[in-house]
Amino acid sequence: MPPPPGRAIKRCGKLFETGPCPSVEDPVSTPDFWEACYHAGEDQWDLGQPTPLFERVAAELEPGRICLIGCGRGWDAVTFAKAGFTVTAIDASTENIGTARAHAEMVGLDIAYRPATVEQMEAEKAGPFDVVLTMEVIEHVADPEGFVRACSRLVRPGGVMMVATLNRTLKSLALGKVAAEYVLRWVPAGTHDWRQFLKPEEIREMLAAEPVTVEGPYGLNYDPLTDRWSQSDDAGINYMMVATRNA
């Protein structure tokens, strides 16, 4: 059987042609793709404010060292810094990091922003952190297992990693992919490849060789009327897995 076709996505005047996914050739896995999205203003996922769900998480967790993987423009990093956390935040987009640093300086917060990947952080022996948080990043990377395992190795014994992503279900295909990209235009068309969405049991399997205890899935629902995320029993589209590193 021939491999599934790739897709051609235009960003900021550039045509990104992808190979069969998942693939290291897929530009959605590269910093250039995301830089082009931000340059073109195709960054509808950026709320321009902290994620309300993480405001609640920050209030419930005991302040400590936290690392945000894929921090974007840093809104959630600000939330955790204001809650008393020592924050390290990384993103593949250099432009994002520059914007985030400027905002942190403007509001007087000391946040360690870095243009880096989680693999670079691990190679440099960064951490360990009390909390590692990555929201809707894993479905875009070329090697999701390598990514999530590297994230887990940044966590101190007894610390937690939170991974939010999209489930690979017919419901997520209809609402998380087709409706979000082509009807509601919440994210640019072509941003997601449904074949790269991950089922909760797949994340469990990816982490099986790591000394962690995995809990979840915890469903995440978005209410467009209130523009707020909340926890739900329905993990058919968005969900979160929590992994505690064994002490």
Side-chain angles (χ1 to χ4, degrees):
M1 180 181 294
R7 59 201 195 282
I9 312 170
K10 193 170 186 180
R11 290 286 181 271
C12 199
K14 298 180 181 179
L15 186 65
F16 293 91
E17 295 184 359
T18 79
C21 295
S23 166
V24 293
E25 287 81 24
D26 189 344
V28 178
S29 302
T30 68
D32 285 349
F33 176 87
W34 298 102
E35 293 281 12
C37 284
Y38 283 101
H39 278 299
E42 295 183 346
D43 54 354
Q44 296 93 322
W45 59 84
D46 188 317
L47 300 177
Q49 62 183 7
T51 306
L53 177 65
F54 291 152
E55 292 179 326
R56 192 181 79 188
V57 170
E60 293 178 353
L61 290 175
E62 182 178 348
R65 298 186 67 198
I66 187 171
C67 183
L68 278 68
I69 312 294
C71 66
R73 292 191 171 112
W75 304 111
D76 296 322
V78 167
T79 294
F80 285 99
K82 286 183 175 179
F85 285 80
T86 300
V87 182
T88 297
I90 69 171
D91 197 90
S93 168
T94 302
E95 180 172 312
N96 275 351
I97 293 299
T99 302
R101 282 174 177 161
H103 180 235
E105 291 174 3
M106 184 174 65
V107 296
L109 291 173
D110 183 13
I111 299 174
Y113 285 111
R114 290 190 54 193
T117 66
V118 67
E119 292 82 4
Q120 289 173 321
M121 294 286 284
E122 184 186 16
E124 295 169 7
K125 301 187 184 305
F129 298 95
D130 300 292
V131 182
V132 171
L133 175 62
T134 173
M135 184 170 183
E136 295 195 7
V137 176
I138 190 172
E139 69 270 18
H140 296 294
V141 302
D143 178 9
E145 179 174 346
F147 171 82
V148 75
R149 291 184 66 180
C151 287
S152 76
R153 290 192 288 265
L154 294 179
V155 180
R156 68 160 176 83
V160 297
M161 172 182 69
M162 301 180 184
V163 182
T165 189
L166 292 101
N167 206 342
R168 193 174 65 255
T169 62
L170 292 178
K171 186 175 182 180
S172 72
L173 176 61
L175 300 178
K177 167 67 179 174
V178 176
E181 294 186 12
Y182 297 97
V183 180
L184 300 173
R185 303 286 183 179
W186 284 344
V187 294
T191 296
H192 292 107
D193 184 338
W194 179 79
R195 294 166 295 184
Q196 289 187 264
F197 289 4
L198 295 168
K199 292 181 177 292
E201 55 267 30
E202 291 173 330
I203 292 181
R204 286 183 185 277
E205 292 172 4
M206 291 174 182
L207 291 169
E210 297 294 333
V212 297
T213 300
V214 183
E215 298 177 282
Y218 302 102
L220 300 174
N221 279 356
Y222 175 71
D223 185 346
L225 298 179
T226 61
D227 192 26
R228 296 187 74 86
W229 288 90
S230 61
Q231 188 174 320
S232 164
D233 293 331
D234 182 5
I237 304 178
N238 297 85
Y239 69 95
M240 181 179 289
M241 302 292 279
V242 178
T244 303
R245 192 162 191 84
N246 299 340

